[in-house]
Structures are given as C-alpha cells and as structure tokens.
Amino acid sequence: QVQLVESGGGSVQAGGSLRLSCAASRYIYSGVCMGWFRQAPGKEREGVAAIYPGAGSTYYADSVKGRFTISQDNAKNTLYLQMNSLKPEDTAMYYCAADLGALSCARNWYVASRFVYRGQGTQVTVSS
C-alpha cells in the first residue's frame, strides 16, 4: 500500500507556472508507475503525465507536451509536476496516483482505473 499527499496547487494567471508535489509514504523508484491526473468540473478524469522511475520513461498527454514535466526525487519519495505556460483550460483538480507492481507505464498510462492508489488532490486555477 501507499499513501499519497499532493501539494503546490494554487491560482495563477495564464502564462504562469506552478510545481505540484506528491509525497509518497514508501519508495516509488522500482516497480511503480506514477501518474498525474486532472479533473475539471463536469469533465472526465484526464491522464496528464506518467513516469516509470526505474527506467526514467515519461509519458504526456498531447495537451501538455512541451509545457509540463513529470519527475521524481527518489531520496524524498516525492513525485513532481512542473507546469509552465499555464492556460485557463488547465484549471482542474490534480491528483497523483500509483500503480504498484507495474512492469512499465507504457500500456494505458492514461487510464485512471489502473492506478489503485490516489491522493486527495490539489486545485489548480488559471485565470485569463
């Protein structure tokens, strides 16, 4: 099992930046696929990015490629999402999620149901 706690959300103007953090209660280096998801009011949960730390493989939704960067600090068991050039359409609740025992993230990294563990979320609001 793993507990996940997100932080770093807030309100920014379009073009601004935020860095989200997700503190995990156990190591997230090997055999774990870690992901960030977001959900805006009235919309379905959307996969934003994922990382397989053991291989350094990263995956991004087309809508955030070139603007967001997912990374992890193994020593701190912490996952990050650096968000630059934010747009109003990025406004959502952001969640980190973990798939323990994963061999990779490549398959269906964007499908929320594969991630059994999820944090409570942190709100990101981008104004125009």
Side-chain angles (χ1 to χ4, degrees), residues 6 20 33-40 44-50 70 79 81 92-98 108-115 117-118 121-122:
E6 302 95 336
L20 306 184
C33 176
M34 299 295 297
W36 284 100
F37 290 80
R38 66 187 181 186
Q39 188 166 19
E44 293 188 355
R45 191 166 300 163
E46 173 189 19
V48 176
I70 188 171
L79 181 73
L81 185 68
M93 184 71 78
Y94 284 71
Y95 303 89
C96 71
N108 296 337
W109 68 265
Y110 47 86
V111 178
S113 60
R114 74 167 282 181
F115 295 86
Y117 302 98
R118 192 189 78 185
T122 186

Side-chain angles (χ1 to χ4, degrees), residues 7-9 17-21 69 71 76 80-83 86:
S7 61
S17 298
L18 284 173
R19 188 176 79 156
L20 306 184
S21 299
T69 303
S71 63
K76 296 181 179 180
Y80 300 102
L81 185 68
Q82 178 67 44
M83 306 186 297
L86 283 162

Side-chain angles (χ1 to χ4, degrees), residues 36-100:
W36 284 100
F37 290 80
R38 66 187 181 186
Q39 188 166 19
K43 295 187 177 181
E44 293 188 355
R45 191 166 300 163
E46 173 189 19
V48 176
I51 185 169
Y52 192 69
S57 304
T58 57
Y59 307 85
Y60 296 94
D62 288 342
S63 58
V64 305
K65 278 182 181 176
R67 300 189 298 122
F68 291 11
T69 303
I70 188 171
S71 63
Q72 83 282 349
D73 184 327
N74 298 330
K76 296 181 179 180
N77 292 337
T78 300
L79 181 73
Y80 300 102
L81 185 68
Q82 178 67 44
M83 306 186 297
N84 298 328
S85 302
L86 283 162
K87 303 175 181 180
E89 51 263 43
D90 294 319
T91 295
M93 184 71 78
Y94 284 71
Y95 303 89
C96 71
D99 177 7
L100 306 183

